[in-house]
Amino acid sequence: MLTLLLPCLLCTLPQSISLGPEIYHVNRSREGGTKQNGWVYGVRGTYDRVTGWGLYWGANFRYAQGPLKGSSPSTDNLCSTFSDKEAEGRFGYTFQWDFIHSLITPFIGVGYFDESNSLEHPCPSRLKFNIRYPYFAFGFLSRVNLFPCLTAGLNFKGWAMYDATCKVRDPEGEHCTMCVTDEINYRIELPVMYQTGLLNNQFNVGLVPFYEYRHYGGRANYPFDFLDTRLNIFGVNLQLLYFF
């Protein structure tokens, strides 16, 4: 998430840090008829350096976990614990237009993603599926002033997976690692930020509804094939921001 003050303050307060809860609903489907859904709860933190007509750099991390429930061809009561871990660095350039009070920042970046889904009681097995991969990120961040103390924007991030694997951990048997077909995934955000006036306008509050799509392509492996898996995620992120 790009964290910005009003354009007139960008030169004096170009950097920000933020931290806040992130809540989202996961709809997970896997080739063969397996479907799960549930709420996941976590935290997201960011650092951004933004200045009009200047270089941009930033970073973010998130951690989240929650229960999923659903069914598969072999059971009608498929329960698991789902978790996300992510870290990312970005670099870009910010364009600023004072006459319409707006900014846009195209960026590229690199990151690492770790997603796991651990089967729980009453499932007969306790398998844990752990998908990991580095990725290349690309997209843009934007803001426009709606009112003196309120800004809104549209952010887009796509990421291209690289050399993704899924490690299957079986507490009652041998572990195995499957290759995953790399796909391009994306996230769309609609951030709204309120300038509170506290600490000489250095403290702000942001609300960021988002949609995220993940696709892990199926691939033949031995002794098991990785089955095509897709996730549709809707959520919201609340950020407490400090500018300096």
Side-chain angles (χ1 to χ4, degrees):
M1 183 185 78
L2 177 64
T3 51
L4 304 177
L5 264 179
L6 300 177
C8 62
L9 297 178
L10 282 173
C11 294
T12 56
L13 298 173
Q15 300 183 84
S16 68
I17 55 174
S18 66
L19 185 68
E22 184 163 281
I23 303 171
Y24 48 95
H25 189 266
V26 175
N27 284 287
R28 181 178 182 271
S29 61
R30 191 175 68 179
E31 180 184 356
T34 298
K35 294 183 178 181
Q36 288 183 285
N37 66 83
W39 288 97
V40 177
Y41 309 88
V43 62
R44 174 178 288 269
T46 69
Y47 163 80
D48 287 300
R49 189 270 187 185
V50 180
T51 182
W53 301 108
L55 295 177
Y56 160 79
W57 56 82
N60 72 265
F61 75 89
R62 72 165 155 179
Y63 173 80
Q65 182 173 291
L68 299 185
K69 295 183 179 181
S71 62
S72 71
S74 60
T75 179
D76 292 329
N77 197 1
L78 184 63
C79 299
S80 65
T81 297
F82 179 88
S83 68
D84 277 337
K85 301 174 187 176
E86 180 185 19
E88 178 184 292
R90 301 179 297 274
F91 182 80
Y93 190 87
T94 298
F95 300 87
Q96 176 179 339
W97 295 275
D98 292 336
F99 68 98
I100 55 174
H101 305 295
S102 64
L103 303 133
I104 185 168
T105 305
F107 69 84
I108 57 175
V110 294
Y112 191 82
F113 210 99
D114 184 314
E115 175 192 306
S116 66
N117 197 36
S118 304
L119 300 182
E120 307 287 352
H121 180 79
C123 296
S125 64
R126 294 293 186 270
L127 298 178
K128 179 179 181 180
F129 300 89
N130 186 197
I131 298 174
R132 297 179 176 180
Y133 56 88
Y135 63 82
F136 300 102
F138 57 92
F140 66 87
L141 310 162
S142 66
R143 288 295 183 277
V144 61
N145 277 25
L146 301 178
F147 301 101
C149 295
L150 190 68
T151 63
L154 170 66
N155 299 339
F156 172 84
K157 184 185 82 171
W159 66 94
M161 302 161 53
Y162 177 73
D163 198 24
T165 61
C166 177
K167 186 169 186 177
V168 182
R169 295 178 170 87
D170 184 353
E172 299 178 357
E174 296 183 358
H175 303 332
C176 70
T177 299
M178 298 181 289
C179 295
V180 179
T181 298
D182 297 327
E183 303 286 351
I184 295 179
N185 302 320
Y186 63 89
R187 176 181 172 116
I188 300 172
E189 301 177 339
L190 297 172
V192 177
M193 189 176 69
Y194 177 70
Q195 190 174 357
T196 65
L198 299 175
L199 301 175
N200 294 321
N201 292 321
Q202 289 179 261
F203 180 76
N204 291 255
V205 177
L207 187 67
V208 188
F210 67 89
Y211 168 73
E212 187 172 311
Y213 175 76
R214 302 181 201 167
H215 180 199
Y216 305 127
R219 188 164 175 177
N221 286 267
Y222 179 83
F224 306 106
D225 294 339
F226 180 83
L227 301 180
D228 190 90
T229 303
R230 300 170 189 259
L231 290 84
N232 287 280
I233 299 171
F234 296 88
V236 65
N237 172 232
L238 175 65
Q239 290 288 298
L240 305 177
L241 306 105
Y242 178 74
F243 291 81
F244 58 98

mmCIF file of all heavy atoms in Angstrom, residues 76-123:
data_model
loop_
_atom_site.group_PDB
_atom_site.id
_atom_site.type_symbol
_atom_site.label_atom_id
_atom_site.label_comp_id
_atom_site.label_asym_id
_atom_site.label_seq_id
_atom_site.Cartn_x
_atom_site.Cartn_y
_atom_site.Cartn_z
ATOM 1 N N ASP A 76 -16.877 -34.881 3.434
ATOM 2 C CA ASP A 76 -17.747 -33.695 3.461
ATOM 3 C C ASP A 76 -17.378 -32.739 4.583
ATOM 4 O O ASP A 76 -18.039 -31.722 4.777
ATOM 5 C CB ASP A 76 -19.213 -34.129 3.641
ATOM 6 C CG ASP A 76 -19.742 -34.871 2.417
ATOM 7 O OD1 ASP A 76 -19.281 -34.553 1.309
ATOM 8 O OD2 ASP A 76 -20.601 -35.754 2.588
ATOM 9 N N ASN A 77 -16.339 -33.079 5.324
ATOM 10 C CA ASN A 77 -15.938 -32.233 6.453
ATOM 11 C C ASN A 77 -14.436 -32.011 6.399
ATOM 12 O O ASN A 77 -13.675 -32.581 7.175
ATOM 13 C CB ASN A 77 -16.347 -32.898 7.764
ATOM 14 C CG ASN A 77 -16.337 -31.919 8.927
ATOM 15 O OD1 ASN A 77 -16.047 -30.730 8.754
ATOM 16 N ND2 ASN A 77 -16.656 -32.405 10.110
ATOM 17 N N LEU A 78 -14.008 -31.158 5.453
ATOM 18 C CA LEU A 78 -12.590 -30.903 5.232
ATOM 19 C C LEU A 78 -12.191 -29.632 5.986
ATOM 20 O O LEU A 78 -12.533 -28.524 5.578
ATOM 21 C CB LEU A 78 -12.326 -30.746 3.735
ATOM 22 C CG LEU A 78 -10.869 -30.573 3.309
ATOM 23 C CD1 LEU A 78 -10.059 -31.818 3.661
ATOM 24 C CD2 LEU A 78 -10.792 -30.286 1.817
ATOM 25 N N CYS A 79 -11.470 -29.789 7.087
ATOM 26 C CA CYS A 79 -11.057 -28.668 7.934
ATOM 27 C C CYS A 79 -9.543 -28.519 7.886
ATOM 28 O O CYS A 79 -8.811 -29.513 7.856
ATOM 29 C CB CYS A 79 -11.505 -28.898 9.376
ATOM 30 S SG CYS A 79 -13.290 -29.032 9.590
ATOM 31 N N SER A 80 -9.085 -27.269 7.909
ATOM 32 C CA SER A 80 -7.648 -27.018 7.860
ATOM 33 C C SER A 80 -7.335 -25.665 8.460
ATOM 34 O O SER A 80 -8.214 -24.823 8.679
ATOM 35 C CB SER A 80 -7.137 -27.080 6.410
ATOM 36 O OG SER A 80 -7.711 -26.035 5.641
ATOM 37 N N THR A 81 -6.044 -25.447 8.733
ATOM 38 C CA THR A 81 -5.532 -24.145 9.158
ATOM 39 C C THR A 81 -4.716 -23.568 8.013
ATOM 40 O O THR A 81 -3.753 -24.184 7.550
ATOM 41 C CB THR A 81 -4.664 -24.267 10.417
ATOM 42 O OG1 THR A 81 -5.463 -24.747 11.495
ATOM 43 C CG2 THR A 81 -4.092 -22.913 10.800
ATOM 44 N N PHE A 82 -5.112 -22.385 7.552
ATOM 45 C CA PHE A 82 -4.497 -21.727 6.413
ATOM 46 C C PHE A 82 -3.635 -20.578 6.908
ATOM 47 O O PHE A 82 -4.034 -19.844 7.820
ATOM 48 C CB PHE A 82 -5.603 -21.196 5.495
ATOM 49 C CG PHE A 82 -5.115 -20.470 4.278
ATOM 50 C CD1 PHE A 82 -4.830 -21.145 3.114
ATOM 51 C CD2 PHE A 82 -4.958 -19.089 4.301
ATOM 52 C CE1 PHE A 82 -4.401 -20.474 1.978
ATOM 53 C CE2 PHE A 82 -4.536 -18.403 3.172
ATOM 54 C CZ PHE A 82 -4.255 -19.090 2.011
ATOM 55 N N SER A 83 -2.445 -20.392 6.324
ATOM 56 C CA SER A 83 -1.585 -19.283 6.751
ATOM 57 C C SER A 83 -0.846 -18.682 5.560
ATOM 58 O O SER A 83 -0.552 -19.367 4.580
ATOM 59 C CB SER A 83 -0.584 -19.728 7.825
ATOM 60 O OG SER A 83 0.367 -20.617 7.286
ATOM 61 N N ASP A 84 -0.565 -17.376 5.662
ATOM 62 C CA ASP A 84 0.177 -16.623 4.651
ATOM 63 C C ASP A 84 1.355 -15.920 5.295
ATOM 64 O O ASP A 84 1.224 -15.343 6.389
ATOM 65 C CB ASP A 84 -0.701 -15.534 4.022
ATOM 66 C CG ASP A 84 -1.578 -16.058 2.911
ATOM 67 O OD1 ASP A 84 -1.248 -17.098 2.328
ATOM 68 O OD2 ASP A 84 -2.610 -15.417 2.625
ATOM 69 N N LYS A 85 2.492 -15.926 4.599
ATOM 70 C CA LYS A 85 3.648 -15.116 4.980
ATOM 71 C C LYS A 85 4.201 -14.496 3.703
ATOM 72 O O LYS A 85 4.353 -15.190 2.700
ATOM 73 C CB LYS A 85 4.730 -15.966 5.654
ATOM 74 C CG LYS A 85 4.281 -16.680 6.917
ATOM 75 C CD LYS A 85 5.372 -17.619 7.425
ATOM 76 C CE LYS A 85 4.877 -18.458 8.589
ATOM 77 N NZ LYS A 85 5.909 -19.443 9.031
ATOM 78 N N GLU A 86 4.511 -13.195 3.762
ATOM 79 C CA GLU A 86 5.007 -12.524 2.570
ATOM 80 C C GLU A 86 5.920 -11.367 2.958
ATOM 81 O O GLU A 86 5.672 -10.658 3.940
ATOM 82 C CB GLU A 86 3.845 -11.980 1.739
ATOM 83 C CG GLU A 86 4.265 -11.271 0.470
ATOM 84 C CD GLU A 86 3.105 -10.638 -0.276
ATOM 85 O OE1 GLU A 86 2.042 -10.430 0.337
ATOM 86 O OE2 GLU A 86 3.272 -10.338 -1.474
ATOM 87 N N ALA A 87 6.977 -11.175 2.186
ATOM 88 C CA ALA A 87 7.869 -10.019 2.321
ATOM 89 C C ALA A 87 8.211 -9.525 0.927
ATOM 90 O O ALA A 87 8.416 -10.331 0.012
ATOM 91 C CB ALA A 87 9.139 -10.387 3.089
ATOM 92 N N GLU A 88 8.272 -8.186 0.766
ATOM 93 C CA GLU A 88 8.461 -7.622 -0.570
ATOM 94 C C GLU A 88 9.193 -6.299 -0.502
ATOM 95 O O GLU A 88 8.996 -5.509 0.429
ATOM 96 C CB GLU A 88 7.086 -7.419 -1.218
ATOM 97 C CG GLU A 88 7.113 -6.796 -2.598
ATOM 98 C CD GLU A 88 5.706 -6.550 -3.119
ATOM 99 O OE1 GLU A 88 5.009 -7.543 -3.398
ATOM 100 O OE2 GLU A 88 5.290 -5.372 -3.198
ATOM 101 N N GLY A 89 10.033 -6.026 -1.507
ATOM 102 C CA GLY A 89 10.683 -4.744 -1.693
ATOM 103 C C GLY A 89 10.327 -4.185 -3.068
ATOM 104 O O GLY A 89 10.210 -4.949 -4.033
ATOM 105 N N ARG A 90 10.160 -2.832 -3.182
ATOM 106 C CA ARG A 90 9.720 -2.219 -4.431
ATOM 107 C C ARG A 90 10.583 -1.005 -4.757
ATOM 108 O O ARG A 90 11.133 -0.351 -3.859
ATOM 109 C CB ARG A 90 8.261 -1.775 -4.337
ATOM 110 C CG ARG A 90 7.286 -2.888 -4.026
ATOM 111 C CD ARG A 90 5.871 -2.354 -3.928
ATOM 112 N NE ARG A 90 5.720 -1.394 -2.841
ATOM 113 C CZ ARG A 90 5.452 -1.708 -1.596
ATOM 114 N NH1 ARG A 90 5.321 -2.987 -1.268
ATOM 115 N NH2 ARG A 90 5.330 -0.787 -0.676
ATOM 116 N N PHE A 91 10.647 -0.686 -6.043
ATOM 117 C CA PHE A 91 11.398 0.483 -6.500
ATOM 118 C C PHE A 91 10.667 1.064 -7.704
ATOM 119 O O PHE A 91 10.235 0.332 -8.593
ATOM 120 C CB PHE A 91 12.816 0.079 -6.895
ATOM 121 C CG PHE A 91 13.674 1.229 -7.342
ATOM 122 C CD1 PHE A 91 14.285 2.061 -6.429
ATOM 123 C CD2 PHE A 91 13.840 1.484 -8.695
ATOM 124 C CE1 PHE A 91 15.070 3.124 -6.840
ATOM 125 C CE2 PHE A 91 14.631 2.539 -9.119
ATOM 126 C CZ PHE A 91 15.243 3.362 -8.190
ATOM 127 N N GLY A 92 10.525 2.410 -7.736
ATOM 128 C CA GLY A 92 9.824 3.029 -8.852
ATOM 129 C C GLY A 92 10.052 4.523 -8.915
ATOM 130 O O GLY A 92 11.054 5.045 -8.405
ATOM 131 N N TYR A 93 9.106 5.219 -9.540
ATOM 132 C CA TYR A 93 9.210 6.672 -9.724
ATOM 133 C C TYR A 93 7.820 7.275 -9.576
ATOM 134 O O TYR A 93 6.837 6.721 -10.103
ATOM 135 C CB TYR A 93 9.782 7.003 -11.096
ATOM 136 C CG TYR A 93 10.144 8.463 -11.254
ATOM 137 C CD1 TYR A 93 11.397 8.932 -10.863
ATOM 138 C CD2 TYR A 93 9.240 9.375 -11.786
ATOM 139 C CE1 TYR A 93 11.735 10.271 -11.000
ATOM 140 C CE2 TYR A 93 9.562 10.713 -11.930
ATOM 141 C CZ TYR A 93 10.809 11.157 -11.536
ATOM 142 O OH TYR A 93 11.142 12.483 -11.665
ATOM 143 N N THR A 94 7.724 8.417 -8.865
ATOM 144 C CA THR A 94 6.445 9.062 -8.608
ATOM 145 C C THR A 94 6.243 10.277 -9.505
ATOM 146 O O THR A 94 7.095 11.170 -9.557
ATOM 147 C CB THR A 94 6.337 9.502 -7.135
ATOM 148 O OG1 THR A 94 6.415 8.348 -6.289
ATOM 149 C CG2 THR A 94 5.012 10.209 -6.879
ATOM 150 N N PHE A 95 5.113 10.292 -10.213
ATOM 151 C CA PHE A 95 4.701 11.433 -11.027
ATOM 152 C C PHE A 95 3.628 12.208 -10.270
ATOM 153 O O PHE A 95 2.709 11.604 -9.709
ATOM 154 C CB PHE A 95 4.146 10.961 -12.375
ATOM 155 C CG PHE A 95 5.126 10.172 -13.192
ATOM 156 C CD1 PHE A 95 5.242 8.791 -13.027
ATOM 157 C CD2 PHE A 95 5.943 10.800 -14.125
ATOM 158 C CE1 PHE A 95 6.143 8.054 -13.779
ATOM 159 C CE2 PHE A 95 6.855 10.069 -14.886
ATOM 160 C CZ PHE A 95 6.955 8.693 -14.707
ATOM 161 N N GLN A 96 3.724 13.516 -10.255
ATOM 162 C CA GLN A 96 2.819 14.341 -9.467
ATOM 163 C C GLN A 96 2.219 15.448 -10.344
ATOM 164 O O GLN A 96 2.919 16.089 -11.129
ATOM 165 C CB GLN A 96 3.566 14.976 -8.287
ATOM 166 C CG GLN A 96 2.731 15.938 -7.467
ATOM 167 C CD GLN A 96 3.514 16.518 -6.304
ATOM 168 O OE1 GLN A 96 4.509 15.949 -5.864
ATOM 169 N NE2 GLN A 96 3.075 17.665 -5.810
ATOM 170 N N TRP A 97 0.895 15.685 -10.198
ATOM 171 C CA TRP A 97 0.206 16.756 -10.920
ATOM 172 C C TRP A 97 -0.533 17.618 -9.911
ATOM 173 O O TRP A 97 -1.578 17.233 -9.378
ATOM 174 C CB TRP A 97 -0.774 16.166 -11.932
ATOM 175 C CG TRP A 97 -0.078 15.396 -13.015
ATOM 176 C CD1 TRP A 97 0.452 15.886 -14.166
ATOM 177 C CD2 TRP A 97 0.179 13.997 -13.033
ATOM 178 N NE1 TRP A 97 1.023 14.886 -14.910
ATOM 179 C CE2 TRP A 97 0.870 13.704 -14.242
ATOM 180 C CE3 TRP A 97 -0.107 12.945 -12.152
ATOM 181 C CZ2 TRP A 97 1.273 12.424 -14.584
ATOM 182 C CZ3 TRP A 97 0.291 11.671 -12.491
ATOM 183 C CH2 TRP A 97 0.979 11.416 -13.694
ATOM 184 N N ASP A 98 0.023 18.805 -9.636
ATOM 185 C CA ASP A 98 -0.547 19.682 -8.618
ATOM 186 C C ASP A 98 -1.931 20.196 -8.993
ATOM 187 O O ASP A 98 -2.782 20.385 -8.125
ATOM 188 C CB ASP A 98 0.390 20.873 -8.364
ATOM 189 C CG ASP A 98 1.682 20.444 -7.693
ATOM 190 O OD1 ASP A 98 1.678 19.385 -7.034
ATOM 191 O OD2 ASP A 98 2.693 21.164 -7.826
ATOM 192 N N PHE A 99 -2.171 20.417 -10.292
ATOM 193 C CA PHE A 99 -3.432 21.042 -10.675
ATOM 194 C C PHE A 99 -4.632 20.117 -10.477
ATOM 195 O O PHE A 99 -5.770 20.578 -10.377
ATOM 196 C CB PHE A 99 -3.370 21.530 -12.134
ATOM 197 C CG PHE A 99 -3.301 20.423 -13.150
ATOM 198 C CD1 PHE A 99 -4.441 19.986 -13.812
ATOM 199 C CD2 PHE A 99 -2.085 19.829 -13.455
ATOM 200 C CE1 PHE A 99 -4.366 18.967 -14.754
ATOM 201 C CE2 PHE A 99 -2.005 18.817 -14.400
ATOM 202 C CZ PHE A 99 -3.144 18.378 -15.049
ATOM 203 N N ILE A 100 -4.411 18.802 -10.407
ATOM 204 C CA ILE A 100 -5.499 17.875 -10.071
ATOM 205 C C ILE A 100 -5.205 17.127 -8.760
ATOM 206 O O ILE A 100 -5.918 16.200 -8.404
ATOM 207 C CB ILE A 100 -5.741 16.861 -11.206
ATOM 208 C CG1 ILE A 100 -4.451 16.109 -11.565
ATOM 209 C CG2 ILE A 100 -6.334 17.538 -12.420
ATOM 210 C CD1 ILE A 100 -4.667 14.989 -12.579
ATOM 211 N N HIS A 101 -4.141 17.561 -8.062
ATOM 212 C CA HIS A 101 -3.802 17.013 -6.746
ATOM 213 C C HIS A 101 -3.738 15.482 -6.769
ATOM 214 O O HIS A 101 -4.425 14.799 -6.012
ATOM 215 C CB HIS A 101 -4.812 17.472 -5.701
ATOM 216 C CG HIS A 101 -4.961 18.956 -5.624
ATOM 217 N ND1 HIS A 101 -3.931 19.786 -5.227
ATOM 218 C CD2 HIS A 101 -6.019 19.763 -5.913
ATOM 219 C CE1 HIS A 101 -4.351 21.043 -5.253
ATOM 220 N NE2 HIS A 101 -5.605 21.067 -5.682
ATOM 221 N N SER A 102 -2.917 14.946 -7.636
ATOM 222 C CA SER A 102 -2.847 13.499 -7.775
ATOM 223 C C SER A 102 -1.414 13.044 -7.961
ATOM 224 O O SER A 102 -0.531 13.823 -8.346
ATOM 225 C CB SER A 102 -3.696 13.031 -8.959
ATOM 226 O OG SER A 102 -3.187 13.541 -10.172
ATOM 227 N N LEU A 103 -1.194 11.760 -7.701
ATOM 228 C CA LEU A 103 0.108 11.125 -7.853
ATOM 229 C C LEU A 103 -0.087 9.720 -8.392
ATOM 230 O O LEU A 103 -1.085 9.069 -8.111
ATOM 231 C CB LEU A 103 0.830 11.031 -6.511
ATOM 232 C CG LEU A 103 1.078 12.325 -5.742
ATOM 233 C CD1 LEU A 103 0.670 12.137 -4.299
ATOM 234 C CD2 LEU A 103 2.535 12.706 -5.823
ATOM 235 N N ILE A 104 0.897 9.253 -9.155
ATOM 236 C CA ILE A 104 0.909 7.857 -9.586
ATOM 237 C C ILE A 104 2.349 7.369 -9.569
ATOM 238 O O ILE A 104 3.268 8.094 -9.954
ATOM 239 C CB ILE A 104 0.267 7.684 -10.978
ATOM 240 C CG1 ILE A 104 0.186 6.187 -11.318
ATOM 241 C CG2 ILE A 104 1.038 8.465 -12.043
ATOM 242 C CD1 ILE A 104 -0.681 5.898 -12.524
ATOM 243 N N THR A 105 2.529 6.150 -9.082
ATOM 244 C CA THR A 105 3.874 5.584 -8.921
ATOM 245 C C THR A 105 3.954 4.206 -9.566
ATOM 246 O O THR A 105 3.559 3.208 -8.953
ATOM 247 C CB THR A 105 4.242 5.474 -7.432
ATOM 248 O OG1 THR A 105 4.114 6.741 -6.801
ATOM 249 C CG2 THR A 105 5.670 4.970 -7.266
ATOM 250 N N PRO A 106 4.415 4.098 -10.790
ATOM 251 C CA PRO A 106 4.712 2.765 -11.346
ATOM 252 C C PRO A 106 5.913 2.157 -10.592
ATOM 253 O O PRO A 106 6.822 2.877 -10.182
ATOM 254 C CB PRO A 106 5.084 3.052 -12.801
ATOM 255 C CG PRO A 106 4.601 4.444 -13.067
ATOM 256 C CD PRO A 106 4.672 5.163 -11.757
ATOM 257 N N PHE A 107 5.908 0.850 -10.404
ATOM 258 C CA PHE A 107 6.995 0.220 -9.656
ATOM 259 C C PHE A 107 7.258 -1.188 -10.164
ATOM 260 O O PHE A 107 6.427 -1.811 -10.829
ATOM 261 C CB PHE A 107 6.679 0.175 -8.161
ATOM 262 C CG PHE A 107 5.563 -0.773 -7.800
ATOM 263 C CD1 PHE A 107 5.802 -2.127 -7.598
ATOM 264 C CD2 PHE A 107 4.257 -0.314 -7.668
ATOM 265 C CE1 PHE A 107 4.783 -3.012 -7.285
ATOM 266 C CE2 PHE A 107 3.225 -1.185 -7.351
ATOM 267 C CZ PHE A 107 3.481 -2.532 -7.155
ATOM 268 N N ILE A 108 8.439 -1.667 -9.821
ATOM 269 C CA ILE A 108 8.793 -3.075 -9.963
ATOM 270 C C ILE A 108 9.346 -3.526 -8.610
ATOM 271 O O ILE A 108 9.697 -2.685 -7.764
ATOM 272 C CB ILE A 108 9.831 -3.317 -11.078
ATOM 273 C CG1 ILE A 108 11.089 -2.485 -10.827
ATOM 274 C CG2 ILE A 108 9.232 -3.021 -12.443
ATOM 275 C CD1 ILE A 108 12.215 -2.765 -11.819
ATOM 276 N N GLY A 109 9.420 -4.828 -8.398
ATOM 277 C CA GLY A 109 9.923 -5.295 -7.112
ATOM 278 C C GLY A 109 10.189 -6.783 -7.109
ATOM 279 O O GLY A 109 9.958 -7.490 -8.098
ATOM 280 N N VAL A 110 10.663 -7.257 -5.970
ATOM 281 C CA VAL A 110 10.887 -8.688 -5.744
ATOM 282 C C VAL A 110 10.329 -9.044 -4.378
ATOM 283 O O VAL A 110 10.248 -8.199 -3.482
ATOM 284 C CB VAL A 110 12.386 -9.064 -5.816
ATOM 285 C CG1 VAL A 110 12.922 -8.870 -7.212
ATOM 286 C CG2 VAL A 110 13.198 -8.253 -4.807
ATOM 287 N N GLY A 111 9.941 -10.299 -4.227
ATOM 288 C CA GLY A 111 9.384 -10.714 -2.951
ATOM 289 C C GLY A 111 9.449 -12.218 -2.782
ATOM 290 O O GLY A 111 9.914 -12.956 -3.669
ATOM 291 N N TYR A 112 8.953 -12.668 -1.642
ATOM 292 C CA TYR A 112 8.927 -14.097 -1.337
ATOM 293 C C TYR A 112 7.606 -14.416 -0.653
ATOM 294 O O TYR A 112 7.161 -13.676 0.246
ATOM 295 C CB TYR A 112 10.086 -14.496 -0.432
ATOM 296 C CG TYR A 112 10.269 -15.993 -0.300
ATOM 297 C CD1 TYR A 112 10.954 -16.710 -1.278
ATOM 298 C CD2 TYR A 112 9.722 -16.692 0.771
ATOM 299 C CE1 TYR A 112 11.108 -18.089 -1.186
ATOM 300 C CE2 TYR A 112 9.875 -18.068 0.878
ATOM 301 C CZ TYR A 112 10.569 -18.759 -0.103
ATOM 302 O OH TYR A 112 10.715 -20.130 -0.011
ATOM 303 N N PHE A 113 6.966 -15.496 -1.094
ATOM 304 C CA PHE A 113 5.651 -15.866 -0.583
ATOM 305 C C PHE A 113 5.706 -17.274 0.001
ATOM 306 O O PHE A 113 6.345 -18.173 -0.554
ATOM 307 C CB PHE A 113 4.622 -15.829 -1.714
ATOM 308 C CG PHE A 113 3.235 -15.478 -1.259
ATOM 309 C CD1 PHE A 113 2.752 -14.196 -1.385
ATOM 310 C CD2 PHE A 113 2.419 -16.438 -0.686
ATOM 311 C CE1 PHE A 113 1.476 -13.873 -0.967
ATOM 312 C CE2 PHE A 113 1.143 -16.130 -0.253
ATOM 313 C CZ PHE A 113 0.667 -14.838 -0.401
ATOM 314 N N ASP A 114 5.001 -17.457 1.115
ATOM 315 C CA ASP A 114 4.934 -18.747 1.789
ATOM 316 C C ASP A 114 3.484 -18.958 2.220
ATOM 317 O O ASP A 114 2.979 -18.253 3.079
ATOM 318 C CB ASP A 114 5.874 -18.756 3.002
ATOM 319 C CG ASP A 114 5.937 -20.115 3.698
ATOM 320 O OD1 ASP A 114 4.876 -20.721 3.922
ATOM 321 O OD2 ASP A 114 7.046 -20.558 4.023
ATOM 322 N N GLU A 115 2.820 -19.912 1.591
ATOM 323 C CA GLU A 115 1.412 -20.219 1.904
ATOM 324 C C GLU A 115 1.306 -21.673 2.338
ATOM 325 O O GLU A 115 1.864 -22.558 1.694
ATOM 326 C CB GLU A 115 0.533 -19.970 0.681
ATOM 327 C CG GLU A 115 -0.920 -20.373 0.873
ATOM 328 C CD GLU A 115 -1.688 -20.392 -0.434
ATOM 329 O OE1 GLU A 115 -1.678 -19.353 -1.139
ATOM 330 O OE2 GLU A 115 -2.284 -21.436 -0.765
ATOM 331 N N SER A 116 0.587 -21.930 3.416
ATOM 332 C CA SER A 116 0.432 -23.316 3.867
ATOM 333 C C SER A 116 -1.023 -23.611 4.205
ATOM 334 O O SER A 116 -1.791 -22.720 4.578
ATOM 335 C CB SER A 116 1.323 -23.598 5.085
ATOM 336 O OG SER A 116 0.898 -22.853 6.204
ATOM 337 N N ASN A 117 -1.384 -24.872 4.079
ATOM 338 C CA ASN A 117 -2.729 -25.339 4.405
ATOM 339 C C ASN A 117 -2.586 -26.689 5.099
ATOM 340 O O ASN A 117 -2.216 -27.691 4.465
ATOM 341 C CB ASN A 117 -3.576 -25.456 3.139
ATOM 342 C CG ASN A 117 -5.059 -25.543 3.434
ATOM 343 O OD1 ASN A 117 -5.546 -24.903 4.366
ATOM 344 N ND2 ASN A 117 -5.797 -26.315 2.647
ATOM 345 N N SER A 118 -2.857 -26.712 6.412
ATOM 346 C CA SER A 118 -2.636 -27.907 7.229
ATOM 347 C C SER A 118 -3.965 -28.542 7.598
ATOM 348 O O SER A 118 -4.811 -27.900 8.242
ATOM 349 C CB SER A 118 -1.872 -27.539 8.513
ATOM 350 O OG SER A 118 -0.656 -26.902 8.211
ATOM 351 N N LEU A 119 -4.176 -29.789 7.194
ATOM 352 C CA LEU A 119 -5.423 -30.486 7.502
ATOM 353 C C LEU A 119 -5.539 -30.747 8.999
ATOM 354 O O LEU A 119 -4.555 -31.063 9.666
ATOM 355 C CB LEU A 119 -5.491 -31.800 6.727
ATOM 356 C CG LEU A 119 -5.446 -31.678 5.198
ATOM 357 C CD1 LEU A 119 -5.575 -33.062 4.556
ATOM 358 C CD2 LEU A 119 -6.528 -30.750 4.686
ATOM 359 N N GLU A 120 -6.761 -30.601 9.516
ATOM 360 C CA GLU A 120 -7.015 -30.761 10.945
ATOM 361 C C GLU A 120 -8.157 -31.753 11.168
ATOM 362 O O GLU A 120 -8.833 -32.178 10.233
ATOM 363 C CB GLU A 120 -7.386 -29.400 11.567
ATOM 364 C CG GLU A 120 -6.390 -28.274 11.300
ATOM 365 C CD GLU A 120 -5.109 -28.424 12.105
ATOM 366 O OE1 GLU A 120 -5.069 -29.317 12.977
ATOM 367 O OE2 GLU A 120 -4.168 -27.653 11.867
ATOM 368 N N HIS A 121 -8.369 -32.109 12.449
ATOM 369 C CA HIS A 121 -9.494 -32.959 12.844
ATOM 370 C C HIS A 121 -10.804 -32.327 12.364
ATOM 371 O O HIS A 121 -10.955 -31.105 12.458
ATOM 372 C CB HIS A 121 -9.506 -33.103 14.376
ATOM 373 C CG HIS A 121 -10.632 -33.950 14.886
ATOM 374 N ND1 HIS A 121 -10.589 -35.327 14.854
ATOM 375 C CD2 HIS A 121 -11.847 -33.599 15.422
ATOM 376 C CE1 HIS A 121 -11.714 -35.790 15.371
ATOM 377 N NE2 HIS A 121 -12.491 -34.767 15.718
ATOM 378 N N PRO A 122 -11.737 -33.097 11.780
ATOM 379 C CA PRO A 122 -11.843 -34.559 11.762
ATOM 380 C C PRO A 122 -11.298 -35.228 10.509
ATOM 381 O O PRO A 122 -11.683 -36.366 10.213
ATOM 382 C CB PRO A 122 -13.354 -34.755 11.853
ATOM 383 C CG PRO A 122 -13.906 -33.609 11.069
ATOM 384 C CD PRO A 122 -12.991 -32.454 11.359
ATOM 385 N N CYS A 123 -10.439 -34.568 9.746
ATOM 386 C CA CYS A 123 -9.850 -35.200 8.568
ATOM 387 C C CYS A 123 -9.048 -36.432 8.992
ATOM 388 O O CYS A 123 -8.329 -36.387 10.000
ATOM 389 C CB CYS A 123 -8.943 -34.223 7.833
ATOM 390 S SG CYS A 123 -9.829 -32.802 7.150
#
